[in-house]
Amino acid sequence: MIELLTSPEAWAALVTLTALEIVLGIDNVIFLSVIVSRIPPKQAKRARQVGLALAVIFRIALLTVLVWLIGLTTPVLTVQDFAFSWRDIILIGGGLFLIAKATHEIHGEVEAREHEAGATPKPRAFLLVIVQIIIIDLVFSLDSIITAIGMAKDLEIMIAAVIIACFVMYLSSGPVSRFVSEHPTTKMLALAFLVLIGVALVADGFHFHIPRAYIYFAMAFSAAVEMFNVLAGRNRKKASR
């Protein structure tokens, strides 16, 4: 441990891996922001805390079983000369779940049913949100930890990077969730991002890698345009007063 604290290479690996884990966590933050927007604010805060706590637990638990995790990339199913590993199957399943969930939410937003707007939250809504968070945490944790294994050699560095990244995710999840709930158009944009991320996960499961840089650039560009729209809307409201 002392050698790691005094090693420039270890610190460089920690900084690099932490930055990468934070970038990979963007997907998780967006999903959390969208999924908790349909429950009351107090429950939403608790759901975010539980969801990110589970993200830390899943990532650390997966890091402690490196041999098993690496084995997930071994083919277990072959369909017409196309080999699938457990990792591929999990990514495809998680991607389809994201696409289905985002499509369902988009349908609800487009329909804008009046009875949903005035309906009281169901007691089981919180539990349902937590279950969905657990499912998607497993998918994102798997991809995140496999990346960590490929970049760092020391388990201590991996765990430290994961904890720091999840702490940053926790700090950013609150403001992002509030912004999404206060601006309905950004929620639609976030749901579109989830569909895009789901497609990328399914493509990864079929060994067709879509560079994340393209996806994140598209997300950043769209978010910037939406930010200008929000600012323009605020200025118009101020001018009309």
Side-chain angles (χ1 to χ4, degrees):
M1 179 63 72
I2 296 176
E3 292 180 359
L4 288 177
L5 291 175
T6 57
S7 171
E9 293 182 0
W11 282 102
L14 176 62
V15 171
T16 304
L17 185 56
T18 300
L20 186 58
E21 292 293 324
I22 291 172
V23 171
L24 291 174
I26 292 173
D27 305 345
N28 218 333
V29 171
I30 293 174
F31 180 80
L32 274 174
S33 302
V34 171
I35 202 67
V36 302
S37 65
R38 288 191 174 276
I39 57 179
K42 290 184 179 179
Q43 288 189 341
K45 182 178 180 180
R46 200 187 321 157
R48 286 198 306 272
Q49 292 172 342
V50 172
L52 291 172
L54 289 172
V56 175
I57 293 170
F58 286 150
R59 283 163 167 79
I60 294 177
L62 289 173
L63 279 171
T64 58
V65 285
L66 298 180
V67 175
W68 172 80
L69 190 62
I70 293 172
L72 288 180
T73 58
T74 304
V76 294
L77 177 66
T78 302
V79 179
Q80 294 184 350
D81 298 330
F82 196 93
F84 292 95
S85 66
W86 279 115
R87 176 181 179 273
D88 298 330
I89 294 171
I90 292 172
L91 288 178
I92 293 171
L96 291 176
F97 171 78
L98 265 185
I99 294 171
K101 178 62 183 174
T103 303
H104 176 73
E105 292 289 332
I106 289 173
H107 181 266
E109 291 293 316
V110 172
E111 290 292 322
R113 291 180 287 269
E114 293 182 1
H115 69 275
E116 285 190 357
T120 56
K122 296 180 181 179
R124 295 176 59 186
F126 178 78
L127 180 60
L128 183 61
V129 166
I130 294 299
V131 170
Q132 293 177 21
I133 290 173
I134 289 174
I135 292 173
I136 212 61
D137 268 346
L138 283 170
V139 177
F140 286 140
S141 295
L142 183 67
D143 214 25
S144 174
I145 295 310
I146 288 176
T147 301
I149 294 171
M151 286 195 62
K153 298 179 181 178
D154 300 291
L155 182 61
E156 294 85 353
I157 293 176
M158 297 181 199
I159 292 177
V162 164
I163 292 175
I164 294 172
C166 286
F167 181 69
V168 172
M169 285 165 56
Y170 174 74
L171 292 179
S172 62
S173 64
V176 171
S177 295
R178 285 192 296 272
F179 188 81
V180 168
S181 63
E182 291 172 1
H183 302 88
T185 55
T186 60
K187 181 177 181 180
M188 187 65 71
L189 185 62
L191 289 170
F193 288 161
L194 289 181
V195 174
L196 186 62
I197 294 166
V199 171
L201 289 176
V202 172
D204 281 345
F206 283 100
H207 304 172
F208 181 81
H209 180 67
I210 301 174
R212 290 298 187 268
Y214 295 160
I215 296 176
Y216 292 142
F217 175 79
M219 291 168 63
F221 180 80
S222 301
V225 172
E226 183 59 30
M227 186 67 68
F228 286 127
N229 284 333
V230 171
L231 292 175
R234 286 181 180 176
N235 291 334
R236 283 193 293 270
K237 287 181 180 179
K238 289 180 180 179
S240 62
R241 290 178 182 175

